[in-house]
Amino acid sequence: MKQSRYGPSFISARSFQDALQILIGTGLVIRTTGAWYEPHGPSNRTARYQASEALLHGLLRNGASVAALRRHRAAEGIRLKDQNKKLVEYGNIQFADDARDRLQDINSMLTDHWVDLAVSDDQLSRLKSAINGDDKEGAAKSSDFAARTVHRVFNNSDWEQGGRFYGAWWMGIPSELRRYILIDGKRTVEVDYSGLHAAMLYAMERMDIPEDPYALSSSTGLRRSQRKLIKRTFNALLNFSGNGHLQPIEGFSEEATGMSWIEFRASIISSFPNLSKHFGSGIGLKLQYKDSLLAEAVMLKFAKMNYACLPVHDSFIVHQALQDDLTEIMQSEFEKMFGKRGYVSFDIGLGEVVASSTTKPIEWSPAELETAPGYEQRLRSFRRNGQSTK
């Protein structure tokens, strides 16, 4: 049987399963989430496992650090899925080969730098618990700092649908935590393509792009405070295709909007008469393909400069001193692709360091290192393992 391109080449499925069962049997690995499979059911779930406290303590006693971990370079980074979101095997496709080469350049850029959160482990737990209502243990383990590379996912067995980047840990954390991101121990800034898909459609229709592409006229009865809901509904309408009507999206309520879902949806459609032909067309995934090419171009520019640039779908995070460079590159790449420049606004949030329990400067002696915040220790380990920045 031919081996799947999505499976690791250095170990068979049987060997992996045998090794996993041994680790579970010795208490070094525990299963946190069960699995189920329904051949014709609406959803399936893969079992999830994590290292036990005994394994983690053993690794720490022997000087191991998450900073020394890297994903295998040969792991397949270009993933094609069908309409049911199942991975599709494919042969030697030139587009995929070229995209894989560019992806390796991007991932090399990402792994050449250490990305962390400027909070202690306890602070991280409290912050995530406050944001998500998660339990302390789950919150503390939800950031996998070893997940520092990205892969691309194309949808519906079509190389021109989807293609966005996924997989890096900073993509999955709550947006409120991204302000604490550090790159190589330095503060960061996030620059956002505000209203990206709407801006793309305006440009494709050869229309001027409003300063806020999601802005609605006051006659709709919708308020600016509802912008997030408006944006989500707008994009849901772009992704929707088929018979019937789009059902209420998560977060909608008649109490909050003062109107029914049908009225709310109709108000949004009527507010964009020049774009309404795209609603219900399913164009959303094709726009994702275009924004993935845009993200790829931006990151490759930073890779050539040997600077880190972290993707978060339609925004990017860089060292704060590179804010102007990032803004210029984002604008120029948008203009190159869509023929417009200076019509996309940017949401900028400066990274900050959470105050520690002491104001005493950290001296890099062995004694001080033991009490240094976890993010400082991980950075030191990253540099000590020969993975320092260029």
Side-chain angles (χ1 to χ4, degrees):
M1 181 178 178
K2 184 179 179 181
Q3 184 175 4
S4 168
R5 69 166 49 249
Y6 301 109
S9 59
F10 54 88
I11 188 172
S12 68
R14 178 62 182 272
S15 298
F16 176 83
Q17 290 170 355
D18 290 345
L20 178 62
Q21 290 307 312
I22 291 173
L23 291 170
I24 293 173
T26 55
L28 297 177
V29 168
I30 57 177
R31 185 167 75 167
T32 59
T33 304
W36 69 73
Y37 176 69
E38 301 176 54
H40 304 291
S43 63
N44 303 306
R45 186 168 68 179
T46 303
R48 296 178 183 271
Y49 302 84
Q50 69 182 34
S52 68
E53 287 191 12
L55 177 56
L56 291 174
H57 286 310
L59 292 171
L60 290 173
R61 282 196 303 270
N62 287 277
S65 170
V66 68
L69 296 176
R70 289 193 181 204
R71 285 176 173 167
H72 199 284
R73 183 175 174 82
E76 181 55 68
I78 304 299
R79 306 180 185 182
L80 182 65
K81 293 187 176 183
D82 61 19
Q83 288 82 352
N84 298 315
K85 299 184 179 181
K86 300 292 185 182
L87 288 170
V88 176
E89 297 291 343
Y90 61 90
N92 295 322
I93 307 295
Q94 190 62 50
F95 171 84
D97 292 342
D98 293 341
R100 189 178 299 108
D101 289 342
R102 295 191 296 271
L103 183 67
Q104 287 186 350
D105 290 339
I106 289 169
N107 280 332
S108 293
M109 172 266 289
L110 294 175
T111 53
D112 280 342
H113 301 269
W114 182 251
V115 184
D116 214 315
L117 288 170
V119 293
S120 69
D121 294 339
D122 286 341
Q123 288 169 326
L124 178 58
S125 296
R126 290 196 298 271
L127 284 167
K128 288 197 169 185
S129 295
I131 293 169
N132 291 336
D134 295 334
D135 64 280
K136 182 177 180 180
E137 181 181 3
K141 295 177 180 177
S142 61
S143 291
D144 178 8
F145 294 117
R148 293 151 45 211
T149 56
V150 293
H151 60 267
R152 296 182 70 180
V153 177
F154 295 85
N155 304 99
N156 295 331
S157 302
D158 187 339
W159 293 109
E160 293 189 1
Q161 293 193 43
R164 277 185 163 182
F165 296 82
Y166 299 94
W169 67 261
W170 55 82
M171 292 176 152
I173 64 174
S175 58
E176 295 92 334
L177 284 178
R178 292 207 295 268
R179 67 172 65 97
Y180 302 119
I181 287 178
L182 299 177
I183 297 177
D184 301 326
K186 300 174 182 177
R187 294 186 178 189
T188 58
V189 63
E190 180 174 3
V191 182
D192 175 58
Y193 279 121
S194 181
L196 181 56
H197 281 187
M200 286 180 174
L201 289 175
Y202 277 115
M204 290 163 60
E205 295 294 333
R206 301 182 183 279
M207 298 170 58
D208 290 338
I209 304 173
E211 183 177 348
D212 180 0
Y214 292 124
L216 303 179
S217 65
S218 57
S219 61
T220 62
L222 301 176
R223 301 184 296 276
R224 181 170 178 79
S225 60
Q226 298 169 349
R227 186 183 186 279
K228 183 178 292 187
L229 187 60
I230 293 168
K231 175 182 176 180
R232 291 179 60 195
T233 305
F234 181 98
N235 286 294
L237 286 165
L238 295 181
N239 287 314
F240 178 73
S241 62
N243 298 323
H245 296 287
L246 177 69
Q247 296 302 306
I249 64 170
E250 183 179 354
F252 171 82
S253 71
E254 293 189 9
E255 294 76 14
T257 60
M259 58 182 72
S260 68
W261 167 247
I262 294 177
E263 293 170 330
F264 183 79
R265 187 185 63 206
S267 294
I268 292 177
I269 293 173
S270 65
S271 295
F272 299 94
N274 295 307
L275 304 181
S276 60
K277 66 181 180 182
H278 298 293
F279 296 142
S281 68
I283 197 175
L285 284 174
K286 294 183 179 179
L287 294 177
Q288 283 189 18
Y289 171 67
K290 291 181 181 295
D291 75 45
S292 76
L293 296 181
L294 195 59
E296 180 186 61
V298 171
M299 287 187 286
L300 287 173
K301 284 289 184 69
F302 276 86
K304 289 181 180 178
M305 296 188 294
N306 293 328
Y307 292 137
C309 178
L310 316 182
V312 193
H313 300 314
D314 57 359
S315 67
F316 303 90
I317 299 171
V318 297
H319 177 252
Q320 61 178 351
L322 298 172
Q323 175 181 317
D324 291 342
D325 297 87
L326 176 57
T327 300
E328 169 59 27
I329 289 172
M330 289 172 69
Q331 287 177 321
S332 63
E333 292 301 324
F334 188 92
E335 180 186 25
K336 189 182 301 182
M337 184 175 293
F338 297 102
K340 298 284 186 180
R341 179 180 174 83
Y343 291 92
V344 179
S345 60
F346 303 91
D347 297 327
I348 298 174
L350 185 64
E352 57 190 62
V353 178
V354 174
S356 62
S357 58
T358 176
T359 57
K360 180 182 176 182
I362 296 173
E363 300 294 338
W364 295 121
S365 66
E368 293 288 342
L369 254 181
E370 290 180 1
T371 59
Y375 60 89
E376 293 281 8
Q377 295 188 42
R378 288 187 290 269
L379 178 59
R380 293 282 291 182
S381 177
F382 176 78
R383 290 172 172 163
R384 190 168 57 247
N385 279 279
Q387 301 182 86
S388 59
T389 58
K390 298 178 180 178

